[in-house]
Each structure stands twice: as C-alpha cells, then as structure tokens.
Amino acid sequence: MYRKELQSVLGGKVVSLPQVCIRGKHIGGVDEIKQLLEVGELAKLLEGFPAQDSGIVCDSCGDARNNLAAMHQ
C-alpha cells in the first residue's frame, strides 16, 4: 500500500523502496543517494541535522563510514 501512495504523490512514477525525502523534498532511492554521497552533495543536504554516535561499529564497513553502510546510523 505504501508504494502505491508514494507513486500517487510522485505523479505515477514507478518507484523502488526505500525512497528518501529530506526536509520534505523527495531525493530518490538508493541509486540517487549513492550518487549524492559519491559527489559530496549528500552531506550538504544533511547539514543542520543532529549527528548521533550510536556507539555501534557497522559490520559491513567496519566503521569506515565511506560507503552506504554508514547511512544506516
């Protein structure tokens, strides 16, 4: 049901899940987020959001924080 609601909001565009919105603006899915991360634009979009250290080391990246695994925190 969520996917159909999201498609309706996005004007019928076919979408994959998850989809990310930042400050009420639709950013896109994993491909768009990955590209924004690679070119340094994701950090700009997230400026002003509080950073939180969970104290947990990611099993995927070993806390390298240089890939999409870092985004799960």
Side-chain angles (χ1 to χ4, degrees):
M1 178 141 190
Y2 173 76
R3 185 183 308 239
K4 288 185 181 194
E5 290 178 53
L6 185 59
Q7 282 178 300
S8 175
V9 169
L10 296 175
K13 178 181 174 185
V14 176
V15 295
S16 61
L17 297 177
Q19 291 291 304
V20 176
C21 294
I22 299 175
R23 293 186 175 92
K25 179 181 177 192
H26 177 249
I27 303 301
V30 68
D31 292 332
E32 290 84 3
I33 296 299
K34 182 178 177 183
Q35 181 167 356
L36 289 169
L37 179 66
E38 289 172 354
V39 299
E41 292 296 316
L42 185 59
K44 292 176 186 177
L45 291 173
L46 296 174
E47 282 180 2
F49 283 99
Q52 181 177 358
D53 183 3
S54 67
I56 299 170
V57 175
C58 175
D59 291 334
S60 297
C61 71
D63 212 28
R65 298 177 184 263
N66 63 351
N67 60 33
L68 289 178
M71 293 172 48
H72 74 279
Q73 296 182 351

